[in-house]
């Protein structure tokens, strides 16, 4: 029996002080010193005049909202004739609802969320569009310090404890069709744990993860940064595995909207894409830029945490809360010579295979057709050409995940049905 529950919390995760002097300094150095020549308002010829002067883009307070925020803060939006208004959202459910009803125009959004909406999984059904990727990597699964005290610090140790059935173990993800749900389920299943049958799974908004773990609502959670680092800093949890260890260079957040918005405002969509693409390229250009980004998004209006909480992991410097430190070769990235923002068709298909694997879909969809409808490779290639951003030769890519299974998009039905641990509908 599937055990999906919605957690409740009386407050958001605790706000932490921000180094105001640093933020003020970052704001002061915005367009003028960091981006010489940005004052020009010329648009790329192929993008055209935006139909809308302003666009409201929803975001969740996570490190990977950075391309949206920096596109606005550094003025890349003005370069393309549109004003981006970042709009902080309380939860991914709020992002979904506001996208569907038009409360926001676009969003920093979980890869799997538009796919769920397109298919009517976990909410209203509406045709959606993924315009580009925002980042790769940089999420993690945090387990509670209480588990560490019991000697449970690895997947096999957790599997052994769950198999003994002395109690029910509870894990949190951020949204039923989220990337975080898929990373959590995939990791648990790698060690023989069926997340739909062997434990309890709850849904918690990212900013509330730490507070819920502190009061004992869960044994572990999967979420984006900086909340895994916050759990370590507050000594309530440790990093059991990073998402890049589950799938190196996995897709994560995307710039999403409705198909209706793209149809009505194609030039606006492309202008926003161009601005965000430039911001992504700027962030990845140097560690100095990454540091400025961390200083900016730490502010109360964005992530609302300390710069020191965001910066180490964005630079690839990790500690797990149990005494281990390392330089991660695959930290969160935003550009990578155009590899990150490209909306790979095979990436979208992978999420559909996992929806099928875990019973979120009762039948096999037309994997390729659905992914081609949602991932607007056509629009992305137009914008990339104007900005001279390289695009891959193929819309499909191949990856090996933590369990050694290779995903290449060639036979999605066989892939979805090929996992020993699953919750496939009859």
């Amino acid at each position: 029996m599937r055990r999906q529950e919605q957690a409740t919390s009386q407050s958001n995760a605790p706000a932490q002080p921000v180094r105001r002097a640093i933020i003020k300094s970052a704001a002061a150095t915005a367009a003028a010193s960091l981006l010489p020549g940005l004052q020009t308002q010329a648009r790329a010829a192929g993008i055209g005049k935006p139909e809308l002067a302003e666009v409201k883009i929803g975001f969740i307070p996570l490190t990977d909202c950075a391309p949206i925020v920096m596109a606005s803060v550094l003025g890349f939006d003005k370069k393309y004739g549109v004003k981006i208004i970042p709009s902080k959202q309380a939860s991914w459910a709020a992002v979904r609802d506001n996208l569907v009803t038009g409360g926001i125009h676009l969003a920093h959004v979980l890869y799997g969320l538009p796919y769920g909406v397109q298919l009517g999984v976990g909410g209203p059904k509406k045709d959606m569009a993924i315009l580009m990727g925002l980042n790769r990597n940089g999420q993690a699964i945090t387990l509670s310090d209480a588990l560490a005290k019991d000697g449970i610090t690895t997947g096999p140790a957790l599997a052994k404890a769950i198999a003994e059935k002395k109690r029910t173990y509870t894990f949190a993800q951020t949204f039923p069709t989220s990337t975080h749900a898929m990373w959590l389920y995939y990791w648990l299943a790698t060690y023989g744990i069926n997340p739909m049958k062997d434990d309890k799974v709850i849904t918690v908004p990212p900013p509330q993860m730490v507070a819920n773990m502190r009061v004992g609502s869960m044994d572990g959670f999967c979420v984006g940064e900086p909340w895994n680092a916050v759990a370590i800093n507050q000594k309530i949890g440790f990093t059991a595995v990073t998402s890049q260890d589950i799938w190196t260079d996995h897709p994560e957040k995307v710039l999403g909207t409705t198909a209706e918005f793209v149809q009505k405002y194609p030039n606006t969509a492309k202008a926003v894409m161009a601005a965000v693409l430039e911001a992504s390229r700027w962030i990845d250009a140097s560690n100095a830029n990454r540091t400025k980004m961390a200083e900016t998004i730490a502010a109360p209006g964005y992530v609302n945490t300390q710069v020191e909480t965001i910066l180490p992991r964005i630079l690839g410097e990790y500690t797990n809360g149990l005494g281990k430190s390392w330089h991660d070769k695959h930290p969160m990235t935003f550009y990578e010579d155009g590899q990150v923002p490209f909306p790979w068709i095979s990436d979208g298909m992978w999420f559909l295979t996992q929806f099928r694997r875990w019973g979120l879909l009762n039948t096999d969809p037309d994997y390729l057709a659905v992914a081609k409808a949602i991932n607007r490779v056509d629009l992305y290639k137009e914008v990339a050409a104007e900005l001279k951003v390289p695009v891959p030769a193929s819309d499909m890519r191949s990856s090996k995940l933590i369990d050694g299974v290779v995903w290449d998009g060639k036979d999605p039905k066989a892939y979805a049905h090929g996992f020993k641990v699953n919750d496939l509908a009859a």
Side-chain angles (χ1 to χ4, degrees):
M1 177 181 296
R2 186 165 300 107
R3 303 181 70 176
Q4 293 280 350
E5 300 180 8
Q6 180 75 33
T8 58
S9 176
Q10 298 303 311
S11 64
N12 287 336
Q16 300 179 36
V18 179
R19 293 188 303 171
R20 299 189 180 189
I22 294 179
I23 302 302
K24 185 176 181 180
S25 173
T29 57
S33 63
L34 294 177
L35 300 169
L38 186 61
Q39 291 76 9
T40 175
Q41 302 297 307
R43 292 184 299 273
I47 291 177
K49 183 179 180 180
E51 300 86 359
L52 300 177
E54 296 182 348
V55 289
K56 184 182 290 187
I57 304 184
F59 73 94
I60 293 289
L62 293 161
T63 301
D64 48 35
C65 74
I68 303 298
V69 173
M70 300 312 292
S72 172
V73 170
L74 297 178
F76 285 118
D77 53 350
K78 296 180 180 64
K79 181 177 179 180
Y80 295 98
V82 66
K83 181 179 180 181
I84 290 174
I85 304 173
S87 174
K88 185 185 280 192
Q89 305 290 298
S91 67
W92 290 117
V95 170
R96 175 201 61 199
D97 294 344
N98 282 323
L99 274 177
V100 169
T101 61
I104 53 178
H105 297 108
L106 305 98
H108 151 253
V109 68
L110 300 155
Y111 206 123
L113 192 150
Y115 274 79
V117 174
Q118 179 91 9
L119 297 171
V121 177
K125 186 174 182 178
K126 192 177 183 72
D127 289 343
M128 302 297 289
I130 286 177
L131 304 181
M132 60 182 284
L134 294 180
N135 70 293
R136 284 178 174 174
N137 306 327
Q139 321 298 295
I141 293 174
T142 291
L143 298 182
S144 70
D145 275 0
L147 289 185
K149 291 175 182 176
D150 290 337
I152 302 172
T153 60
T154 65
L158 180 62
K160 182 176 183 295
I162 289 176
E164 291 173 352
K165 299 186 183 299
K166 292 181 179 178
R167 67 176 179 88
T168 298
Y169 288 80
T170 301
F171 301 95
Q173 39 79 5
T174 62
F175 190 77
T177 62
S178 68
T179 53
H180 304 116
M182 300 307 116
W183 310 146
L184 176 65
Y185 299 169
Y186 205 101
W187 183 72
L188 292 171
T190 296
Y191 301 104
I193 304 166
N194 189 321
M196 303 301 176
K197 298 174 181 176
D198 298 336
D199 53 30
K200 184 167 71 173
V201 177
I202 61 176
T203 300
V204 177
Q208 297 177 16
M209 286 291 190
V210 174
N212 273 271
M213 182 172 278
R214 183 183 300 109
V215 298
S217 298
M218 67 192 61
D219 296 286
F221 59 71
C222 185
V223 73
E225 298 300 343
W227 303 110
N228 300 287
V230 169
I232 292 174
N233 292 346
Q234 297 189 11
K235 301 186 185 305
I236 64 167
F238 64 94
T239 296
V241 64
T242 66
S243 56
Q244 52 266 36
D245 284 333
I246 298 171
W247 177 359
T248 301
D249 291 336
H250 66 79
E252 185 50 44
K253 305 304 187 303
V254 294
L255 180 63
T257 186
T258 63
E260 180 183 14
F261 180 86
V262 176
Q263 183 177 6
K264 290 179 66 175
Y265 310 111
N267 289 349
T268 304
K270 288 188 285 186
V272 172
M273 292 168 68
V276 174
L277 188 52
E278 287 220 39
S280 300
R281 183 163 56 184
W282 179 87
I283 293 168
D284 268 10
S286 69
N287 279 345
N289 286 4
R290 285 173 163 259
T291 300
K292 291 293 183 184
M293 175 271 285
E295 292 168 354
T296 302
I297 68 171
Y302 302 122
V303 180
N304 190 22
T305 191
Q306 295 173 319
V307 175
E308 294 88 348
T309 301
I310 296 175
L311 188 56
R313 290 193 171 192
I314 204 66
L315 297 178
E317 302 305 326
Y318 277 72
T319 59
N320 71 348
L322 297 174
K324 179 184 176 182
S325 299
W326 71 99
H327 179 77
D328 201 299
K329 295 180 180 179
H330 302 281
M332 186 183 294
T333 54
F334 302 90
Y335 180 66
E336 285 188 41
D337 203 28
Q339 294 292 302
V340 177
F342 186 78
W344 302 85
I345 296 297
S346 55
D347 287 357
M349 292 168 66
W350 184 87
F351 284 94
L352 293 175
T353 69
Q354 298 307 294
F355 293 175
R356 183 70 180 101
R357 175 187 183 181
W358 299 120
L360 299 175
L361 296 174
N362 294 324
T363 59
D364 289 282
D366 187 331
Y367 294 92
L368 183 60
V370 173
K372 283 186 173 181
I374 297 174
N375 288 27
R376 295 301 303 269
V377 175
D378 56 336
L379 283 181
Y380 179 82
K381 287 183 176 179
E382 286 184 40
V383 175
E386 291 295 332
L387 273 65
K388 296 181 171 52
V389 172
V391 297
S394 172
D395 296 347
M396 313 286 268
R397 64 184 181 120
S398 177
S399 303
K400 181 185 289 188
L401 277 70
I402 190 173
D403 56 358
V405 178
V406 173
W407 165 247
D408 57 16
K410 291 180 180 177
D411 193 344
K413 181 177 180 179
Y415 180 84
H417 288 257
F419 294 98
K420 182 179 179 180
V421 180
N422 64 73
D423 197 37
L424 289 165

